[in-house]
Structure formats: structure tokens, C-alpha cells
Amino acid sequence: MPKDIDARKAYLIGGGIASLASAAFLLRDAHMKGNNIHILEESSIYGGSMDGAGIAETGYTARGGREIEEHFECFMDLFSFIPSLTDTNRTVLDEFRELNIKEPIESHCHLVQNQGEKCDFHHLVYPNNI
Ligand SMILES: Cc1cc2nc3c(=O)[nH]c(=O)nc-3n(C[C@H](O)[C@H](O)[C@H](O)COP(=O)(O)OP(=O)(O)OC[C@H]3O[C@@H](n4cnc5c(N)ncnc54)[C@H](O)[C@@H]3O)c2cc1C
């Protein structure tokens, strides 16, 4: 535990994953008390680009995508200690792994041009045609 941690406060600007993750790591690794961590968000919604909202009857909206890859080590570590909302014996990482097995990523288009025309970006990803 860092010296004088109970006297320190953290002010995180923005309620996106960067601040939410910082808060979780401050709690776990720095042992900072939750009521000393402040997240300042200008909009009425937390989550930033990763927010999600809606209900089954009218549909859902999510501003960002959900392509998670195995090299996201910090992200996996974060989710490994966040308890599931529905089952306290499980973590959000368990739920994420299950979802990614059940609904594998299948993304056929990342860039569009000319108002909806699919853009071929393979030469940007594989410059040497590997
Ligand atoms: C359409 C889309 C698809 C994406 N797909 C993927 C993907 O598949 N895989 C992946 O890994 N990443 C993806 N991303 C990127 C990923 O979502 C972002 O990199 C990540 O969410 C950024 O998090 P952040 O906390 O840094 O910023 P943000 O999520 O942008 O959060 C910043 C927050 O700060 C608030 N804010 C800004 N200025 C102020 C201020 N002055 N005072 C108070 N609050 C302020 C904003 O309102 C916002 O809530 C995607 C993003 C988008 C938009």
C-alpha cells in the first residue's frame, strides 16, 4: 500500500473505460478508498465510447465496437476481478469469454467511403501482402 494512501484523492476526467479502469486499479493495487476516487463526466452517460443502452423490446445502442483480442492483457486482468452483476461467483471476464465463444467476432467491414461503399483496406493492414 502506498504511504499516506488514505489521505490521497484521485480526480479522473471522463467516464470512459480509461477512467473506469484507472479507478479499479487504484482500488485493487493502490488500496485507495472508493470515496476518494472521483470520476468527472460531462455527459449524462458513463462508459464513453464503450457505453451501451437499451432494452430488448425497442433495441440496443452501443457507440463503440466490441472486438476483444487475446493480447488485451491489461483489459483481461481488469475484467478478471470485476464481479458479475448476476452471479457473484463469476467475473465479467468469465462472461466475456463465454460471449466471444458463443458469438465469435465476424467483422467484414471496418471502413466505408462514398456514403456506404465498402472500403478495401487490406493494403493498410498487410503492406507486404503477408
Ligand atoms: C464505433 C467505435 C468502434 C470501436 N471498436 C472498438 C473495438 O472493436 N475494439 C476496441 O478495442 N476498441 C474499439 N473502439 C475504441 C474504444 O471504444 C475506445 O478506444 C475506448 O473506449 C476509449 O476509451 P477512453 O476512456 O480513452 O475514452 P472515451 O471512451 O472517449 O471516454 C472519454 C469520456 O470523457 C468525457 N469527456 C471528454 N471531455 C471531458 C471533459 N472536459 N470533462 C468531463 N468529461 C469529459 C466524454 O464524454 C467521454 O465519456 C471503438 C470506438 C468506436 C467509437
PDB file of all heavy atoms in Angstrom, residues 102-126:
ATOM      1  N   LYS A 102     -19.546 -17.938 -27.911  1.00  0.00           N
ATOM      2  CA  LYS A 102     -20.900 -18.086 -28.456  1.00  0.00           C
ATOM      3  C   LYS A 102     -21.111 -17.215 -29.699  1.00  0.00           C
ATOM      4  O   LYS A 102     -21.759 -17.626 -30.662  1.00  0.00           O
ATOM      5  CB  LYS A 102     -21.907 -17.684 -27.361  1.00  0.00           C
ATOM      6  CG  LYS A 102     -23.303 -18.184 -27.569  1.00  0.00           C
ATOM      7  CD  LYS A 102     -24.142 -17.903 -26.336  1.00  0.00           C
ATOM      8  CE  LYS A 102     -25.592 -17.701 -26.730  1.00  0.00           C
ATOM      9  NZ  LYS A 102     -26.363 -17.008 -25.747  1.00  0.00           N
ATOM     10  N   GLU A 103     -20.577 -16.003 -29.638  1.00  0.00           N
ATOM     11  CA  GLU A 103     -20.758 -15.048 -30.743  1.00  0.00           C
ATOM     12  C   GLU A 103     -19.380 -14.595 -31.209  1.00  0.00           C
ATOM     13  O   GLU A 103     -18.938 -13.489 -30.860  1.00  0.00           O
ATOM     14  CB  GLU A 103     -21.554 -13.817 -30.266  1.00  0.00           C
ATOM     15  CG  GLU A 103     -22.904 -14.108 -29.658  1.00  0.00           C
ATOM     16  CD  GLU A 103     -23.994 -14.250 -30.702  1.00  0.00           C
ATOM     17  OE1 GLU A 103     -23.750 -13.875 -31.863  1.00  0.00           O
ATOM     18  OE2 GLU A 103     -25.060 -14.756 -30.339  1.00  0.00           O
ATOM     19  N   PRO A 104     -18.672 -15.416 -31.986  1.00  0.00           N
ATOM     20  CA  PRO A 104     -17.314 -15.028 -32.398  1.00  0.00           C
ATOM     21  C   PRO A 104     -17.340 -13.751 -33.254  1.00  0.00           C
ATOM     22  O   PRO A 104     -18.323 -13.472 -33.934  1.00  0.00           O
ATOM     23  CB  PRO A 104     -16.829 -16.203 -33.232  1.00  0.00           C
ATOM     24  CG  PRO A 104     -17.825 -17.285 -33.061  1.00  0.00           C
ATOM     25  CD  PRO A 104     -19.084 -16.688 -32.549  1.00  0.00           C
ATOM     26  N   ILE A 105     -16.252 -13.019 -33.181  1.00  0.00           N
ATOM     27  CA  ILE A 105     -16.155 -11.786 -33.973  1.00  0.00           C
ATOM     28  C   ILE A 105     -16.232 -12.131 -35.449  1.00  0.00           C
ATOM     29  O   ILE A 105     -15.532 -13.015 -35.930  1.00  0.00           O
ATOM     30  CB  ILE A 105     -14.825 -11.064 -33.670  1.00  0.00           C
ATOM     31  CG1 ILE A 105     -14.817 -10.579 -32.235  1.00  0.00           C
ATOM     32  CG2 ILE A 105     -14.597  -9.920 -34.643  1.00  0.00           C
ATOM     33  CD1 ILE A 105     -13.450 -10.168 -31.754  1.00  0.00           C
ATOM     34  N   GLU A 106     -17.096 -11.435 -36.153  1.00  0.00           N
ATOM     35  CA  GLU A 106     -17.206 -11.662 -37.586  1.00  0.00           C
ATOM     36  C   GLU A 106     -17.402 -10.299 -38.227  1.00  0.00           C
ATOM     37  O   GLU A 106     -18.511  -9.836 -38.422  1.00  0.00           O
ATOM     38  CB  GLU A 106     -18.381 -12.595 -37.887  1.00  0.00           C
ATOM     39  CG  GLU A 106     -18.346 -13.105 -39.311  1.00  0.00           C
ATOM     40  CD  GLU A 106     -19.407 -14.157 -39.555  1.00  0.00           C
ATOM     41  OE1 GLU A 106     -19.461 -15.125 -38.782  1.00  0.00           O
ATOM     42  OE2 GLU A 106     -20.180 -13.983 -40.500  1.00  0.00           O
ATOM     43  N   SER A 107     -16.297  -9.651 -38.489  1.00  0.00           N
ATOM     44  CA  SER A 107     -16.364  -8.282 -38.966  1.00  0.00           C
ATOM     45  C   SER A 107     -15.903  -8.226 -40.412  1.00  0.00           C
ATOM     46  O   SER A 107     -14.749  -8.499 -40.711  1.00  0.00           O
ATOM     47  CB  SER A 107     -15.462  -7.426 -38.075  1.00  0.00           C
ATOM     48  OG  SER A 107     -15.609  -6.089 -38.390  1.00  0.00           O
ATOM     49  N   HIS A 108     -16.819  -7.921 -41.293  1.00  0.00           N
ATOM     50  CA  HIS A 108     -16.484  -7.929 -42.719  1.00  0.00           C
ATOM     51  C   HIS A 108     -16.145  -6.557 -43.261  1.00  0.00           C
ATOM     52  O   HIS A 108     -15.730  -6.431 -44.402  1.00  0.00           O
ATOM     53  CB  HIS A 108     -17.649  -8.510 -43.518  1.00  0.00           C
ATOM     54  CG  HIS A 108     -17.950  -9.924 -43.156  1.00  0.00           C
ATOM     55  ND1 HIS A 108     -17.150 -10.970 -43.555  1.00  0.00           N
ATOM     56  CD2 HIS A 108     -18.916 -10.469 -42.376  1.00  0.00           C
ATOM     57  CE1 HIS A 108     -17.629 -12.096 -43.066  1.00  0.00           C
ATOM     58  NE2 HIS A 108     -18.692 -11.814 -42.335  1.00  0.00           N
ATOM     59  N   CYS A 109     -16.397  -5.534 -42.472  1.00  0.00           N
ATOM     60  CA  CYS A 109     -16.160  -4.186 -42.999  1.00  0.00           C
ATOM     61  C   CYS A 109     -15.829  -3.231 -41.864  1.00  0.00           C
ATOM     62  O   CYS A 109     -16.597  -3.120 -40.916  1.00  0.00           O
ATOM     63  CB  CYS A 109     -17.409  -3.714 -43.739  1.00  0.00           C
ATOM     64  SG  CYS A 109     -17.245  -2.067 -44.415  1.00  0.00           S
ATOM     65  N   HIS A 110     -14.691  -2.577 -41.956  1.00  0.00           N
ATOM     66  CA  HIS A 110     -14.296  -1.610 -40.930  1.00  0.00           C
ATOM     67  C   HIS A 110     -14.358  -0.182 -41.437  1.00  0.00           C
ATOM     68  O   HIS A 110     -14.522   0.740 -40.667  1.00  0.00           O
ATOM     69  CB  HIS A 110     -12.874  -1.894 -40.434  1.00  0.00           C
ATOM     70  CG  HIS A 110     -12.824  -2.905 -39.333  1.00  0.00           C
ATOM     71  ND1 HIS A 110     -11.841  -2.946 -38.408  1.00  0.00           N
ATOM     72  CD2 HIS A 110     -13.679  -3.898 -39.013  1.00  0.00           C
ATOM     73  CE1 HIS A 110     -12.061  -3.931 -37.558  1.00  0.00           C
ATOM     74  NE2 HIS A 110     -13.171  -4.519 -37.918  1.00  0.00           N
ATOM     75  N   LEU A 111     -14.188   0.006 -42.731  1.00  0.00           N
ATOM     76  CA  LEU A 111     -14.176   1.364 -43.274  1.00  0.00           C
ATOM     77  C   LEU A 111     -15.153   1.465 -44.441  1.00  0.00           C
ATOM     78  O   LEU A 111     -15.249   0.548 -45.250  1.00  0.00           O
ATOM     79  CB  LEU A 111     -12.771   1.727 -43.793  1.00  0.00           C
ATOM     80  CG  LEU A 111     -11.651   1.872 -42.772  1.00  0.00           C
ATOM     81  CD1 LEU A 111     -10.332   2.099 -43.481  1.00  0.00           C
ATOM     82  CD2 LEU A 111     -11.955   3.019 -41.830  1.00  0.00           C
ATOM     83  N   VAL A 112     -15.875   2.577 -44.473  1.00  0.00           N
ATOM     84  CA  VAL A 112     -16.739   2.835 -45.630  1.00  0.00           C
ATOM     85  C   VAL A 112     -16.340   4.161 -46.252  1.00  0.00           C
ATOM     86  O   VAL A 112     -15.748   5.022 -45.601  1.00  0.00           O
ATOM     87  CB  VAL A 112     -18.244   2.853 -45.255  1.00  0.00           C
ATOM     88  CG1 VAL A 112     -18.732   1.473 -44.887  1.00  0.00           C
ATOM     89  CG2 VAL A 112     -18.521   3.842 -44.133  1.00  0.00           C
ATOM     90  N   GLN A 113     -16.642   4.301 -47.523  1.00  0.00           N
ATOM     91  CA  GLN A 113     -16.366   5.541 -48.239  1.00  0.00           C
ATOM     92  C   GLN A 113     -17.547   5.831 -49.165  1.00  0.00           C
ATOM     93  O   GLN A 113     -18.398   4.958 -49.384  1.00  0.00           O
ATOM     94  CB  GLN A 113     -15.075   5.415 -49.055  1.00  0.00           C
ATOM     95  CG  GLN A 113     -15.146   4.294 -50.081  1.00  0.00           C
ATOM     96  CD  GLN A 113     -13.810   4.042 -50.762  1.00  0.00           C
ATOM     97  OE1 GLN A 113     -12.835   4.723 -50.485  1.00  0.00           O
ATOM     98  NE2 GLN A 113     -13.768   3.066 -51.649  1.00  0.00           N
ATOM     99  N   ASN A 114     -17.590   7.030 -49.708  1.00  0.00           N
ATOM    100  CA  ASN A 114     -18.655   7.426 -50.639  1.00  0.00           C
ATOM    101  C   ASN A 114     -20.045   7.049 -50.125  1.00  0.00           C
ATOM    102  O   ASN A 114     -20.835   6.423 -50.816  1.00  0.00           O
ATOM    103  CB  ASN A 114     -18.424   6.798 -52.026  1.00  0.00           C
ATOM    104  CG  ASN A 114     -17.100   7.200 -52.602  1.00  0.00           C
ATOM    105  OD1 ASN A 114     -16.611   8.313 -52.345  1.00  0.00           O
ATOM    106  ND2 ASN A 114     -16.487   6.308 -53.362  1.00  0.00           N
ATOM    107  N   GLN A 115     -20.305   7.385 -48.899  1.00  0.00           N
ATOM    108  CA  GLN A 115     -21.617   7.192 -48.273  1.00  0.00           C
ATOM    109  C   GLN A 115     -22.081   5.735 -48.279  1.00  0.00           C
ATOM    110  O   GLN A 115     -23.164   5.421 -48.750  1.00  0.00           O
ATOM    111  CB  GLN A 115     -22.661   8.094 -48.934  1.00  0.00           C
ATOM    112  CG  GLN A 115     -22.310   9.563 -48.779  1.00  0.00           C
ATOM    113  CD  GLN A 115     -23.376  10.472 -49.330  1.00  0.00           C
ATOM    114  OE1 GLN A 115     -24.100  10.104 -50.247  1.00  0.00           O
ATOM    115  NE2 GLN A 115     -23.454  11.657 -48.775  1.00  0.00           N
ATOM    116  N   GLY A 116     -21.222   4.839 -47.786  1.00  0.00           N
ATOM    117  CA  GLY A 116     -21.673   3.468 -47.578  1.00  0.00           C
ATOM    118  C   GLY A 116     -20.967   2.413 -48.401  1.00  0.00           C
ATOM    119  O   GLY A 116     -21.200   1.228 -48.184  1.00  0.00           O
ATOM    120  N   GLU A 117     -20.089   2.821 -49.308  1.00  0.00           N
ATOM    121  CA  GLU A 117     -19.389   1.821 -50.127  1.00  0.00           C
ATOM    122  C   GLU A 117     -18.254   1.201 -49.308  1.00  0.00           C
ATOM    123  O   GLU A 117     -17.478   1.920 -48.680  1.00  0.00           O
ATOM    124  CB  GLU A 117     -18.809   2.555 -51.343  1.00  0.00           C
ATOM    125  CG  GLU A 117     -18.061   1.718 -52.325  1.00  0.00           C
ATOM    126  CD  GLU A 117     -17.448   2.648 -53.386  1.00  0.00           C
ATOM    127  OE1 GLU A 117     -18.226   3.439 -53.993  1.00  0.00           O
ATOM    128  OE2 GLU A 117     -16.223   2.623 -53.562  1.00  0.00           O
ATOM    129  N   LYS A 118     -18.176  -0.120 -49.307  1.00  0.00           N
ATOM    130  CA  LYS A 118     -17.150  -0.802 -48.518  1.00  0.00           C
ATOM    131  C   LYS A 118     -15.758  -0.429 -49.045  1.00  0.00           C
ATOM    132  O   LYS A 118     -15.515  -0.448 -50.247  1.00  0.00           O
ATOM    133  CB  LYS A 118     -17.355  -2.314 -48.622  1.00  0.00           C
ATOM    134  CG  LYS A 118     -16.416  -3.101 -47.747  1.00  0.00           C
ATOM    135  CD  LYS A 118     -16.764  -4.587 -47.821  1.00  0.00           C
ATOM    136  CE  LYS A 118     -15.714  -5.397 -47.078  1.00  0.00           C
ATOM    137  NZ  LYS A 118     -15.974  -6.826 -47.151  1.00  0.00           N
ATOM    138  N   CYS A 119     -14.874  -0.113 -48.131  1.00  0.00           N
ATOM    139  CA  CYS A 119     -13.535   0.338 -48.497  1.00  0.00           C
ATOM    140  C   CYS A 119     -12.551  -0.813 -48.290  1.00  0.00           C
ATOM    141  O   CYS A 119     -12.520  -1.428 -47.221  1.00  0.00           O
ATOM    142  CB  CYS A 119     -13.177   1.525 -47.611  1.00  0.00           C
ATOM    143  SG  CYS A 119     -11.613   2.257 -47.973  1.00  0.00           S
ATOM    144  N   ASP A 120     -11.760  -1.125 -49.298  1.00  0.00           N
ATOM    145  CA  ASP A 120     -10.773  -2.198 -49.176  1.00  0.00           C
ATOM    146  C   ASP A 120      -9.524  -1.639 -48.497  1.00  0.00           C
ATOM    147  O   ASP A 120      -8.815  -0.815 -49.060  1.00  0.00           O
ATOM    148  CB  ASP A 120     -10.427  -2.742 -50.563  1.00  0.00           C
ATOM    149  CG  ASP A 120      -9.445  -3.902 -50.470  1.00  0.00           C
ATOM    150  OD1 ASP A 120      -9.063  -4.272 -49.338  1.00  0.00           O
ATOM    151  OD2 ASP A 120      -9.056  -4.424 -51.528  1.00  0.00           O
ATOM    152  N   PHE A 121      -9.290  -2.073 -47.264  1.00  0.00           N
ATOM    153  CA  PHE A 121      -8.152  -1.543 -46.520  1.00  0.00           C
ATOM    154  C   PHE A 121      -7.073  -2.603 -46.304  1.00  0.00           C
ATOM    155  O   PHE A 121      -6.169  -2.412 -45.506  1.00  0.00           O
ATOM    156  CB  PHE A 121      -8.620  -0.982 -45.163  1.00  0.00           C
ATOM    157  CG  PHE A 121      -9.236  -2.018 -44.261  1.00  0.00           C
ATOM    158  CD1 PHE A 121      -8.463  -2.672 -43.313  1.00  0.00           C
ATOM    159  CD2 PHE A 121     -10.577  -2.349 -44.362  1.00  0.00           C
ATOM    160  CE1 PHE A 121      -9.014  -3.638 -42.489  1.00  0.00           C
ATOM    161  CE2 PHE A 121     -11.134  -3.322 -43.543  1.00  0.00           C
ATOM    162  CZ  PHE A 121     -10.347  -3.963 -42.601  1.00  0.00           C
ATOM    163  N   HIS A 122      -7.147  -3.708 -47.004  1.00  0.00           N
ATOM    164  CA  HIS A 122      -6.177  -4.782 -46.773  1.00  0.00           C
ATOM    165  C   HIS A 122      -4.737  -4.311 -46.962  1.00  0.00           C
ATOM    166  O   HIS A 122      -3.843  -4.747 -46.250  1.00  0.00           O
ATOM    167  CB  HIS A 122      -6.465  -5.961 -47.707  1.00  0.00           C
ATOM    168  CG  HIS A 122      -7.696  -6.707 -47.300  1.00  0.00           C
ATOM    169  ND1 HIS A 122      -8.948  -6.358 -47.757  1.00  0.00           N
ATOM    170  CD2 HIS A 122      -7.862  -7.736 -46.452  1.00  0.00           C
ATOM    171  CE1 HIS A 122      -9.839  -7.181 -47.221  1.00  0.00           C
ATOM    172  NE2 HIS A 122      -9.203  -8.017 -46.422  1.00  0.00           N
ATOM    173  N   HIS A 123      -4.513  -3.407 -47.915  1.00  0.00           N
ATOM    174  CA  HIS A 123      -3.141  -2.959 -48.158  1.00  0.00           C
ATOM    175  C   HIS A 123      -2.612  -2.147 -46.970  1.00  0.00           C
ATOM    176  O   HIS A 123      -1.402  -2.049 -46.793  1.00  0.00           O
ATOM    177  CB  HIS A 123      -3.054  -2.137 -49.444  1.00  0.00           C
ATOM    178  CG  HIS A 123      -3.884  -0.894 -49.415  1.00  0.00           C
ATOM    179  ND1 HIS A 123      -5.264  -0.927 -49.521  1.00  0.00           N
ATOM    180  CD2 HIS A 123      -3.547   0.396 -49.273  1.00  0.00           C
ATOM    181  CE1 HIS A 123      -5.728   0.305 -49.457  1.00  0.00           C
ATOM    182  NE2 HIS A 123      -4.719   1.127 -49.302  1.00  0.00           N
ATOM    183  N   LEU A 124      -3.518  -1.594 -46.116  1.00  0.00           N
ATOM    184  CA  LEU A 124      -3.061  -0.851 -44.938  1.00  0.00           C
ATOM    185  C   LEU A 124      -2.637  -1.809 -43.832  1.00  0.00           C
ATOM    186  O   LEU A 124      -1.704  -1.549 -43.086  1.00  0.00           O
ATOM    187  CB  LEU A 124      -4.181   0.059 -44.415  1.00  0.00           C
ATOM    188  CG  LEU A 124      -4.672   1.142 -45.359  1.00  0.00           C
ATOM    189  CD1 LEU A 124      -5.833   1.888 -44.729  1.00  0.00           C
ATOM    190  CD2 LEU A 124      -3.538   2.112 -45.685  1.00  0.00           C
ATOM    191  N   VAL A 125      -3.336  -2.955 -43.747  1.00  0.00           N
ATOM    192  CA  VAL A 125      -3.065  -3.912 -42.675  1.00  0.00           C
ATOM    193  C   VAL A 125      -1.886  -4.817 -43.046  1.00  0.00           C
ATOM    194  O   VAL A 125      -1.034  -5.112 -42.231  1.00  0.00           O
ATOM    195  CB  VAL A 125      -4.314  -4.766 -42.392  1.00  0.00           C
ATOM    196  CG1 VAL A 125      -4.035  -5.784 -41.290  1.00  0.00           C
ATOM    197  CG2 VAL A 125      -5.481  -3.866 -41.993  1.00  0.00           C
ATOM    198  N   TYR A 126      -1.836  -5.230 -44.297  1.00  0.00           N
ATOM    199  CA  TYR A 126      -0.792  -6.162 -44.728  1.00  0.00           C
ATOM    200  C   TYR A 126       0.019  -5.525 -45.861  1.00  0.00           C
ATOM    201  O   TYR A 126      -0.131  -5.890 -47.028  1.00  0.00           O
ATOM    202  CB  TYR A 126      -1.414  -7.479 -45.200  1.00  0.00           C
ATOM    203  CG  TYR A 126      -2.280  -8.144 -44.170  1.00  0.00           C
ATOM    204  CD1 TYR A 126      -3.649  -8.311 -44.366  1.00  0.00           C
ATOM    205  CD2 TYR A 126      -1.712  -8.604 -42.979  1.00  0.00           C
ATOM    206  CE1 TYR A 126      -4.432  -8.924 -43.405  1.00  0.00           C
ATOM    207  CE2 TYR A 126      -2.493  -9.221 -42.025  1.00  0.00           C
ATOM    208  CZ  TYR A 126      -3.850  -9.381 -42.242  1.00  0.00           C
ATOM    209  OH  TYR A 126      -4.628  -9.987 -41.288  1.00  0.00           O
TER     210      TYR A 126
END
